[in-house]
Amino acid sequence: MKDDRGIFTLDSDTIASNPGRVKVMPLVLMRYMYKPVFLLIALLASLVFALSISLIIGGVAFFILFFVNMIYWRRKKEQFAHGDSNGGIIISENPKLVAVTTDLTKGFAGSYPVVKVIPYRGKAKLNERIGTVSLYEGSESCSPHWKNFFPVPVEYVNNNKAELHAVLKSYSDESWQVLENRIKEIKKPYKEGLFKIFNENSQW
């Protein structure tokens, strides 16, 4: 069901504390994500098949793939406009890794701080700050916290310097300090994964 924010593909019952408000640039996104490229190739292939071999079979495939492409791009648009935006810090050059923190609480009980370490393919160097936008993975309805979250660097979908700077400006100095402190809780050498933070009065 459509909510008053025009959301169709995301959970409309939750609202990010700091929505991304990032505009998705398709050509930028396709440099970092291969799925939309494959979807586009499949769409064009179905069109060629319809025009040269079988109009019925190819036509059906084309309309299905057209719908899949539309849903994919709608979801990406909503993800980066309404997803939860958090700052990240490049913590390793070899391999290139970025750390992002959040609280997985659903907002009605306790605090469940975590740090997510993910591979990074952008231009930022060691210790530099970047913006990210995350979606959260659901859990049992009775659970007070989300199961996981999946941050994506905003530069993977937008290369406008002014917009990227605006994202960084949306993070408070306190949030950067929290991230830096939580990174210190992670053992070296750094590796990919979700790491629970057991200090700061967490309920883990």
Side-chain angles (χ1 to χ4, degrees):
M1 176 180 290
K2 180 178 178 180
D3 74 352
D4 57 4
R5 292 172 293 164
I7 293 177
F8 287 94
T9 67
L10 304 180
D11 180 3
S12 60
D13 293 330
T14 59
I15 299 177
S17 57
N18 183 32
R21 300 187 178 90
V22 177
K23 179 182 178 181
V24 173
M25 299 178 177
L27 293 180
V28 175
L29 184 149
M30 288 190 287
R31 289 177 54 194
Y32 290 97
M33 302 179 191
Y34 303 122
K35 184 175 181 179
V37 178
F38 293 143
L39 288 175
L40 179 59
I41 292 173
L43 179 65
L44 295 176
S46 68
L47 179 60
V48 172
F49 188 89
L51 296 176
S52 61
I53 300 177
S54 173
L55 182 61
I56 296 177
I57 297 176
V60 171
F62 175 82
F63 283 110
I64 292 174
L65 287 166
F66 181 80
F67 178 76
V68 171
N69 272 270
M70 291 293 292
I71 292 298
Y72 176 86
W73 287 107
R74 181 60 185 253
R75 182 173 176 81
K76 288 303 176 185
K77 177 183 177 181
E78 294 181 356
Q79 174 182 345
F80 286 91
H82 303 289
D84 189 33
S85 186
N86 296 287
I89 295 178
I90 311 303
I91 58 173
S92 172
E93 280 280 10
N94 188 23
K96 295 195 78 171
L97 300 172
V98 59
V100 185
T101 189
T102 193
D103 191 329
L104 291 181
T105 182
K106 291 182 177 178
F108 54 81
S111 177
Y112 299 88
V114 293
V115 171
K116 187 72 173 282
V117 178
I118 60 173
Y120 175 69
R121 295 185 288 130
K123 298 179 180 179
K125 304 299 181 182
L126 185 66
N127 297 322
E128 287 187 1
R129 298 173 174 181
I130 67 168
T132 75
V133 174
S134 304
L135 293 182
Y136 289 68
E137 181 179 341
S139 57
E140 298 80 3
S141 59
C142 60
S143 174
H145 62 81
W146 300 102
K147 184 178 181 180
N148 204 342
F149 82 116
F150 303 93
V152 179
V154 295
E155 65 194 281
Y156 287 9
V157 301
N158 188 308
N159 61 6
N160 183 287
K161 292 183 179 180
E163 292 189 40
L164 296 179
H165 181 69
V167 172
L168 289 176
K169 291 289 289 183
S170 73
Y171 310 134
S172 66
D173 291 338
E174 180 183 2
S175 69
W176 288 116
Q177 188 61 57
V178 168
L179 174 57
E180 291 172 359
N181 290 340
R182 291 178 181 176
I183 289 173
K184 295 176 183 178
E185 301 296 318
I186 303 174
K187 294 181 180 180
K188 295 182 179 180
Y190 297 122
K191 60 181 180 180
E192 298 175 39
L194 182 72
F195 302 91
K196 297 177 180 179
I197 304 300
F198 292 95
N199 57 8
E200 306 176 32
N201 301 314
S202 69
Q203 272 66 57
W204 290 118

